[in-house]
Amino acid sequence: MPSDGPPAPSWRITLPHSTAAVPIARALIRSVLTDIEAPADSDTAELLTAELVANAVEHTPGDDPIELVVDLLPAGCQVEVHDGDPAPPGDLSRPEPDDVPDPWQEHGRGLLLIRTLSSSCGHRPTERGKAVWFRLPPV
């Protein structure tokens, strides 16, 4: 059955496979959500987007670009980061009460933040690798 309106706004941006992608992604997500007056928390979206992009840069081999996709949904927004590695990311299931990262370790909090602060998150295969995503509810 066809929908009764225009498709939801969507943005797709190619980023370099380097640490330079993280501040670019942060600025882009903040600009997009502010410009369209999205019904989602832009601070949380910025933080979680930076975590996904940083993970894609750090944990995927090669230098193929990564892609940031932002979809405005009736119930908030969804952010995806696409990379060329088909291997799934770490654990994106909801944290257990005793699932606390070691405070002395430099890494290990990104997926915990995504699991905890998003309304849902996950990953899916794509034609050239995978997409890791999170959703934020309206504020």
Side-chain angles (χ1 to χ4, degrees):
M1 174 178 263
S3 67
D4 290 347
S10 181
W11 291 263
R12 185 175 294 265
I13 302 145
T14 301
L15 299 168
H17 192 277
S18 73
T19 56
V22 176
I24 294 168
R26 289 182 80 110
L28 288 170
I29 192 73
R30 178 165 291 283
S31 293
V32 165
L33 295 180
T34 301
D35 287 349
I36 62 168
E37 297 177 8
D41 178 5
S42 61
D43 290 335
T44 302
E46 184 180 341
L47 172 66
L48 300 185
T49 299
E51 291 296 335
L52 284 187
V53 171
N55 282 350
V57 169
E58 184 176 342
H59 298 293
T60 60
D63 57 0
D64 289 342
I66 57 178
E67 194 170 45
L68 174 64
V69 179
V70 182
D71 292 318
L72 187 59
L73 306 171
C77 73
Q78 178 168 306
V79 176
E80 292 185 345
V81 173
H82 296 228
D83 64 56
D85 186 358
D91 187 9
L92 284 169
S93 61
R94 287 284 162 213
E96 297 296 323
D98 60 348
D99 186 12
V100 178
D102 182 345
W104 300 106
Q105 293 299 313
E106 189 173 318
H107 301 285
R109 292 175 196 82
L111 293 180
L112 176 63
L113 283 171
I114 292 164
R115 293 184 320 235
T116 303
L117 298 176
S118 68
S119 59
S120 60
C121 58
H123 64 89
R124 63 181 175 79
T126 64
E127 286 184 16
R128 66 170 203 92
K130 70 175 170 302
V132 183
W133 57 270
F134 66 85
R135 287 188 185 134
L136 292 177
V139 288

